[in-house]
Amino acid sequence: MILSQGQVNVGPVDDSYVYLGGDRANKTYGTLNPDELITRKSVASEEYTREAYLMFEIGDQAASFSNAQLQLYGNVVGSKTVEVYYCSSAWSEETLTGNNRPLGTFITSAFLEAGEGYYSWDVTGYVNTAKSGGAGNISFILKDIAYDESTSDTKWHSKENPSGKGPQLVLTPGDPPLIYNGNYYVDNIEGNDTNSGHSPEEAWKTLQNVNNKLFQPGDSLLFRSGGTWTGAFSIKGSGSPGKPIVI
């Protein structure tokens, strides 16, 4: 991995994975299988669902970041969406199980094409919030998303993996980026998913960015009149009193 000037590459202090159900939900895979992290979502039973946990120490890093990317190296057998959550409760790889795992709060998601290599999630907003709140350690949870069919196992390289391609939190010190709150536009004819979505001329095209976006109180999601879209439609985020999310 090549770092740009000024970037800092932080490795995890703890990482592990858990089974959510069955007898294996009581086992510590941070010690039983320390070389890898596994994610999978089973639609049949939580007994076969696995989630990965990672903890990073950021107390000695800069006060704020212009960019923060969570990066994992793995072999993605079939294309899928993987969500990233944060959790504030303490845990360790020596004791973490599916039965005692801390739950998380959604941050972001990414659609991963099949292949092998490093995959990345933008966690800039959360890392800056945690840092400004005085956090020394921050934790992430990776979860596969499945709809009609279960996802295949993805075996990510852990910090103990002999390949040396362990998880990384790539930090770029600097002023936090401005957070846009307002209207988001989706146009199935003139739109493009590489656009910002912030104006009719910069509209998104499909539901992919809509499903990946964490909407804020007061945001509006505006679809082209008469347009049609296919696929799953999921809104993340919530409004607040007097500031609903409007569709």
Side-chain angles (χ1 to χ4, degrees):
M1 184 188 308
I2 299 175
L3 297 180
S4 300
Q5 186 175 3
Q7 286 184 333
V8 178
N9 203 342
V10 180
V13 294
D14 279 280
D15 58 11
S16 185
Y17 69 95
V18 299
Y19 282 82
L20 300 196
D23 293 340
R24 288 174 289 191
N26 198 40
K27 296 183 178 181
T28 56
Y29 287 91
T31 56
L32 293 173
N33 187 20
D35 287 351
E36 60 188 14
L37 309 169
I38 303 177
T39 58
R40 180 180 188 258
K41 175 61 178 178
S42 170
V43 298
S45 171
E46 293 288 57
E47 181 178 358
Y48 306 109
T49 295
R50 274 147 283 182
E51 297 177 356
Y53 281 71
L54 305 101
M55 183 187 300
F56 297 86
E57 188 174 282
I58 62 169
D60 294 334
Q61 301 301 324
S64 63
F65 308 96
S66 61
N67 191 272
Q69 299 289 322
L70 176 63
Q71 298 186 347
L72 277 79
Y73 188 96
N75 183 12
V76 178
V77 176
S79 300
K80 61 181 176 179
T81 297
V82 178
E83 294 183 336
V84 173
Y85 292 68
Y86 75 86
C87 65
S88 302
S89 301
W91 61 274
S92 74
E93 62 187 11
E94 290 83 9
T95 60
L96 181 70
T97 70
N99 290 335
N100 67 21
R101 74 190 190 280
L103 302 181
T105 301
F106 177 82
I107 302 175
T108 189
S109 64
F111 179 76
L112 311 184
E113 297 286 357
E116 181 174 354
Y118 271 103
Y119 292 84
S120 184
W121 294 261
D122 188 334
V123 292
T124 309
Y126 168 67
V127 173
N128 278 311
T129 298
K131 184 65 176 177
S132 65
N137 293 336
I138 56 175
S139 294
F140 299 104
I141 310 169
L142 269 67
K143 304 182 182 185
D144 282 14
I145 297 301
Y147 299 102
D148 296 328
E149 297 182 0
S150 301
T151 61
S152 300
D153 285 6
T154 296
K155 295 185 177 181
W156 307 98
H157 291 209
S158 70
K159 65 182 176 65
E160 292 90 356
N161 193 285
S163 70
K165 298 176 180 178
Q168 302 292 342
L169 184 61
V170 182
L171 304 174
T172 304
D175 293 333
L178 295 175
I179 299 176
Y180 176 83
N181 289 101
N183 295 337
Y184 291 87
Y185 296 82
V186 190
D187 186 329
N188 65 313
I189 298 175
E190 303 292 338
N192 190 309
D193 285 339
T194 63
N195 289 341
S196 67
H198 294 170
S199 69
E201 295 75 22
E202 282 289 309
W204 297 327
K205 185 177 182 69
T206 72
L207 297 176
Q208 178 177 325
N209 288 334
V210 174
N211 291 336
N212 290 341
K213 173 67 181 175
L214 179 61
F215 290 93
Q216 304 296 322
D219 285 347
S220 294
L221 180 59
L222 306 174
F223 290 90
R224 180 187 179 113
S225 178
T228 59
W229 291 263
T230 59
F233 177 47
S234 175
I235 290 291
K236 297 182 175 69
S238 60
S240 62
K243 299 182 72 176
I245 296 174
V246 179
I247 300 175

